[in-house]
Amino acid sequence: MSWVGRSAARREDPRLLSGSGRYVDDIHLPGTLHAQFVRSTVAHGAVTGVDLSATLAVPGVVAAFTADDLELGDITAVLDRPPSEFVPTAMPVLARDRVRYVGEPIAIVLADNPYAVEDGVEAARVTYEADRPVVSAEQALAPGAPLLHAAAPANTLVDVSMFATEGIDAVFAGAHEVVRVRANTARQNALPLETRGAVTSWDPREEQLVVHTCTQVPHLVRTSLAECLGLDERTVRVIVPDMGGGFGLKCVVGREEIAAAAAALRLRRPVKWIEDRRDALTASFLAREQHYDVRAAFDRDGRILALDADIVCDMGAYSCYPFTAGIEPLMASAELPGVYRVPAYRVRARAVATNKAPSAPYRGVSRPQIVMVMERLMERAARELDLDPVEVRRRNLIVEFPYTGVNDVTYDPGSYLESLNWCERLLRDEGWYERREAAAAEGRYVGIGYSCFSERTGYGSTAFAKRKMAVVPGFDLAEARMDLSGTVTVTTGTMSHGQSHETTLAQIVADRLGLDIAQVKIHQGDTDRIPYGFGTFASRSATIGGSAVARAASALGARLLRLAAHLLDTTDDNVELHDGSVRRRDDHGRAVSYRELADVAYLKAHLLPKDAEPGLTASASFDVHGDGTFSNAAHGVVVELHPGTGQVEILRYVCVEDCGVAINPQVVEGQCRGGIAQGIAGALFEQVTYDAQGEPACASFIDYKMPTAHEIPDIEIHHLETPCAFTESGAKGAGEGGTIGAPAAVLNAVNNALLPTGVELDDTPIRPETVQRAIGACP
């Protein structure tokens, strides 16, 4: 019986649900100092003075450091692109002479209790010579705008023009119909339940700086820490305990964890920094503020002929490490065509700097936006051509695989058409089309909307190299080790922050070795236990990390077979793994258990084959040397708009997804539901705003509306399965799809409901007042 494909109960739940999880804030070391940061109150300007004398006089405050005190190197993310396309900008760990957003860290204060450190921060005095802030992309690009970085003309950090198909202007000129979508999406906060934090200390015995931090990328944090502090990597150990979410926000290197580590190194005392919710909302990494101006040419039958896009991403004050400010514009420009056959394509994409907290990857990275834009184009074309919008999608979907698109991306097999057809059939069979007509007759506003999309997962080093990053993520490593009891410990470079890796990776190993998953322990998040790894982001864990784990388990299995064949006096091809033992194929009654094999491997080495080494350990790596593998899905949504309040009520939500082989279907559904909830949040609720001076206006959940269970509907999920041909388990990634498809489906449903008004909306979030104005209830 295979473990892969079963909804096995999550192995981590007994620990987490009984309060036995151990998060960063649960770590208490003797003599710990508490750290917080003096942060800029000015969005843009020169720092003319930092006076920490009153801070140091606060009872309980032990030390306070500025950038000059700690002599830290900068964090600089780099793309290997010409200056016309990319401008590198250094992000100091603590601001030195200039500040570029409200909340930027200027000094670190350390005290012997968390109350004193807050008093110390409040006592600090910083003087500024303020400059005019730049608080929007429009302002950033305006002639004569103040520059955030002297090296970046027009505040532009990335400016790429790609895929300019020859003759595209003639295609537009001769097209039967040209439609245009101008869409804006709001700045959002990924909002992991656990905010950022670190506990850092110096281990004199190991001569190591030990950093406990909640990061998705422990090895990259180690690399950045070593560079900023001028240390050998050997002397830095990063350990990640249980983690309460990340969603991409924690897959970049934060300035605060480096400053806290530097303070611990300086003082030789443990230092704890826990980000409070106010700082998490205003000074942490944000995402998603993008602006699209896209035209699409169609023939009279609704088939797309060409696509022309201008994309501007407001990335805030700095490039994030290691992805740079190119993370959003490069993703958007490379993958805008999505699941559709687009013969001609041209795109210009820019990343601009503004006086806001910097941006980092957030679940889906630009794909919620590009899918929303493409799906709006399909809907608009259908209206102009008087065609059914689902039929327009059908006529343009990729249906033959592998398919190499105009964007130079090769798509592996998927079920784009099947998922759309199933999704539509579900809503038709339930009678929602008839209910919509009945509601319209009663003067109610009910609408049906769809989205159809793919999710590129399993980015290997080849795909990341196309972005020309100086740090090229891609491969991952795994090590499998059997002990004397015959149980297995697997160490991997991926990093779970809620994705159930302890269960799903154990399922893969259990199948490869013929074990129960209770006999497999997964270890992650310790840079001393595995040489390198790129952590967890971009839905890479099941595809790349899971494949490395599978290969390591298979290599360990091969060692077991070799040893057993020797002990059973037969050939290697006459033995097989079976239920915790190795047996002869020609005589199932002759077998040796894993425990017996381990006893020989560790304690009776004189019985080993002559060319065998003691111990039972195997390691493996996995990388993808292509464009990755594509999950896909279709979402169908039914909404009702309430004229009196402008509320958008979601009456029905169905999802038909295909992530290849679902290692654990229940876990996949959890990923889908969580992602859809975040997608609905972006479509209807969440928006980080700033005033004209660059002051963040969302410092608490009173001002930043995060949806609760009350606003999120029941979500029905159905599965298709198109296995990936090159991952070890046939799995594709499933981490981001829900978030990618939800905004488009919700927006299309709202527009469908607004059809009688003639109003079409293209921006998110969809505000109640916008809905009210659209249906004329609020003149």
Side-chain angles (χ1 to χ4, degrees):
M1 180 177 63
S2 173
W3 282 97
V4 170
R6 294 169 58 183
S7 291
R10 282 175 24 113
R11 296 198 63 201
E12 43 273 85
D13 277 349
R15 181 179 81 252
L16 299 177
L17 297 179
S18 64
S20 300
R22 187 169 185 253
Y23 299 87
V24 169
D25 199 26
D26 295 322
I27 297 171
H28 305 286
L29 302 178
T32 291
L33 296 174
H34 297 264
Q36 287 298 339
F37 291 86
V38 177
R39 296 181 182 276
S40 175
T41 57
V42 169
H44 193 196
V47 178
T48 56
V50 180
D51 183 357
L52 299 177
S53 56
T55 296
L56 293 169
V58 171
V61 170
V62 174
F65 300 119
T66 64
D68 290 340
D69 296 329
L70 293 178
E71 299 179 340
L72 296 168
D74 295 340
I75 305 170
T76 305
V78 175
L79 293 177
D80 186 19
R81 290 180 178 271
S84 61
E85 293 187 348
F86 173 71
V87 177
T89 52
M91 180 167 65
V93 174
L94 296 173
R96 295 191 191 89
D97 53 343
R98 297 193 65 78
V99 289
R100 295 180 173 88
Y101 64 94
V102 172
E104 181 163 8
I106 296 173
I108 182 171
V109 179
L110 301 115
D112 57 16
N113 68 77
Y115 305 101
V117 77
E118 295 290 352
D119 291 341
V121 167
E122 193 171 321
R125 293 292 176 264
V126 182
T127 55
Y128 309 90
E129 184 177 323
D131 294 331
R132 181 159 58 94
V134 176
V135 295
S136 70
E138 184 179 13
Q139 289 179 10
L141 294 170
L147 295 181
L148 271 74
H149 303 274
N155 291 306
T156 301
L157 304 179
V158 175
D159 189 347
V160 292
S161 296
M162 304 167 71
F163 313 116
T165 305
E166 187 175 351
I168 190 171
D169 289 323
V171 175
F172 274 96
H176 179 76
E177 188 67 51
V178 175
V179 296
R180 185 175 192 175
V181 167
R182 291 172 169 167
N184 302 294
T185 58
R187 203 171 197 82
Q188 284 185 259
N189 191 312
L191 286 177
L193 185 62
E194 181 195 26
T195 59
R196 298 181 298 156
V199 175
T200 65
S201 60
W202 176 254
D203 182 343
R205 184 173 186 275
E206 296 294 333
E207 297 181 325
Q208 270 191 325
L209 181 65
V210 181
V211 181
H212 292 83
T213 184
C214 47
T215 178
Q216 298 169 230
V217 288
H219 290 85
L220 287 172
V221 169
R222 181 184 66 179
T223 296
S224 188
L225 270 167
E227 288 181 358
C228 288
L229 274 59
L231 301 173
D232 294 335
E233 284 215 359
R234 177 196 65 77
T235 63
V236 180
R237 181 183 185 185
V238 175
I239 302 172
V240 185
D242 288 318
M243 184 159 42
F247 309 120
L249 180 151
K250 295 177 183 174
C251 78
V252 296
V253 176
R255 308 157 82 170
E256 292 88 346
E257 56 198 348
I258 292 177
L265 190 64
R266 168 72 71 90
L267 299 171
R268 292 293 197 268
R269 289 185 62 178
V271 170
K272 173 185 278 190
W273 165 67
I274 301 297
E275 183 180 53
D276 63 28
R277 187 58 72 181
R278 184 183 189 283
D279 286 348
L281 286 166
T282 59
S284 187
F285 294 99
L286 304 172
R288 299 234 199 280
E289 188 168 3
Q290 301 183 6
H291 311 278
Y292 287 77
D293 186 352
V294 184
R295 297 182 304 143
F298 286 83
D299 67 16
R300 67 176 64 250
D301 295 322
R303 291 183 175 81
I304 193 167
L305 303 173
L307 189 63
D308 189 11
D310 188 354
I311 303 167
V312 177
C313 302
D314 181 340
M315 301 303 291
Y318 295 102
S319 271
C320 62
Y321 181 91
F323 300 100
T324 80
I327 179 71
E328 288 190 353
L330 292 175
M331 175 73 84
S333 54
E335 304 201 9
L336 179 62
V339 293
Y340 298 112
R341 288 175 280 113
V342 176
Y345 180 38
R346 178 171 61 196
V347 59
R348 181 187 185 189
R350 287 170 283 179
V352 300
T354 59
N355 292 116
K356 304 174 186 173
S359 293
Y362 175 25
R363 199 174 192 173
V365 183
S366 290
R367 287 167 290 184
Q369 288 78 24
I370 61 178
V371 168
M372 192 179 89
V373 168
M374 287 301 293
E375 297 299 285
R376 290 299 306 139
L377 289 169
M378 292 295 157
E379 293 276 333
R380 190 150 295 160
R383 284 198 189 198
E384 296 299 327
L385 297 169
D386 195 24
L387 295 170
D388 177 79
V390 176
E391 180 57 28
V392 171
R393 289 178 174 86
R394 289 193 186 98
R395 293 177 184 180
N396 288 287
L397 282 172
I398 299 167
V399 293
E400 295 180 352
F401 301 95
Y403 175 85
T404 300
V406 69
N407 53 350
D408 198 26
V409 171
T410 298
Y411 300 73
D412 65 342
S415 55
Y416 303 167
L417 182 59
E418 295 87 343
S419 61
L420 178 62
N421 287 340
W422 191 355
C423 192
E424 184 197 34
R425 189 168 66 250
L426 285 167
L427 294 185
R428 285 194 179 279
D429 290 349
E430 292 175 1
W432 284 106
Y433 282 77
E434 291 79 6
R435 291 192 222 183
R436 180 184 62 182
E437 300 310 314
E442 297 169 359
R444 294 160 53 207
Y445 296 87
V446 173
I448 299 171
Y450 296 93
S451 66
C452 192
F453 61 95
S454 63
E455 173 195 1
R456 176 148 59 147
T457 70
Y459 287 84
S461 55
T462 302
F464 274 116
K466 286 184 177 179
R467 294 186 185 177
K468 302 181 180 179
M469 294 170 59
V471 176
V472 183
F475 70 86
D476 230 301
L477 306 176
E479 180 196 80
R481 176 178 301 165
M482 180 170 285
D483 61 22
L484 278 164
S485 66
T487 61
V488 175
T489 299
V490 176
T491 306
T492 167
T494 58
M495 188 61 247
S496 177
H497 42 285
Q499 295 94 337
S500 314
H501 290 181
E502 291 179 48
T503 305
T504 55
L505 298 183
Q507 289 179 259
I508 294 172
V509 174
D511 274 359
R512 294 292 170 124
L513 292 174
L515 289 170
D516 187 282
I517 62 168
Q519 296 172 290
V520 181
K521 177 64 179 175
I522 302 296
H523 268 293
Q524 300 178 305
D526 187 340
T527 56
D528 267 16
R529 295 190 63 156
I530 193 109
Y532 218 91
F534 284 101
T536 291
F537 58 89
S539 300
R540 67 187 302 275
S541 293
T543 51
I544 294 178
S547 294
V549 163
R551 287 186 173 182
S554 294
L556 177 60
R559 293 200 63 179
L560 292 168
L561 290 169
R562 178 77 202 291
L563 175 56
H566 174 71
L567 297 176
L568 293 170
D569 194 24
T570 187
T571 58
D572 290 0
D573 59 359
N574 190 37
V575 288
E576 61 185 6
L577 305 178
H578 176 72
D579 194 20
S581 65
V582 182
R583 67 186 183 187
R584 288 181 60 138
R585 293 181 187 274
D586 61 353
D587 183 357
H588 288 180
R590 297 190 62 189
V592 285
S593 69
Y594 289 173
R595 184 187 292 265
E596 292 170 318
L597 292 170
D599 186 64
V600 171
Y602 289 106
L603 303 180
K604 298 180 177 63
H606 61 287
L607 299 179
L608 291 170
K610 289 183 180 179
D611 58 348
E613 294 184 352
L616 286 174
T617 302
S619 59
S621 65
F622 187 81
D623 198 354
V624 174
H625 301 290
D627 288 332
T629 181
F630 289 77
S631 300
N632 66 271
H635 291 192
V637 178
V638 183
V639 303
E640 179 166 6
L641 312 181
H642 295 279
T645 62
Q647 180 194 1
V648 177
E649 181 184 5
I650 299 177
L651 305 176
R652 187 78 171 111
Y653 204 115
V654 295
C655 164
V656 179
E657 71 81 32
D658 185 345
C659 65
V661 173
I663 297 169
N664 186 316
Q666 190 174 46
V667 169
V668 169
E669 292 188 9
Q671 289 287 312
C672 287
R673 288 196 171 88
I676 288 169
Q678 287 187 308
I680 292 172
L684 298 178
F685 302 108
E686 294 183 2
Q687 182 172 18
V688 175
T689 55
Y690 291 78
D691 70 12
Q693 298 306 310
E695 181 75 25
C698 301
S700 76
F701 286 129
I702 294 174
D703 304 304
Y704 188 82
K705 170 58 180 171
M706 182 183 70
T708 66
H710 176 71
E711 287 90 2
I712 302 301
D714 289 336
I715 298 163
E716 184 174 300
I717 299 169
H718 298 267
H719 302 280
L720 291 166
E721 183 175 302
T722 308
C724 176
F726 54 82
T727 60
E728 290 286 324
S729 64
K732 304 176 180 179
E736 301 175 288
T739 315
I740 293 170
V746 172
L747 181 59
N748 284 336
V750 169
N751 278 311
N752 185 247
L754 289 174
L755 197 59
T757 71
V759 175
E760 289 186 72
L761 307 178
D762 291 326
D763 298 341
T764 56
I766 306 166
R767 292 291 183 194
E769 57 269 29
T770 306
V771 174
Q772 284 184 315
R773 282 196 296 269
I775 59 182
C778 182

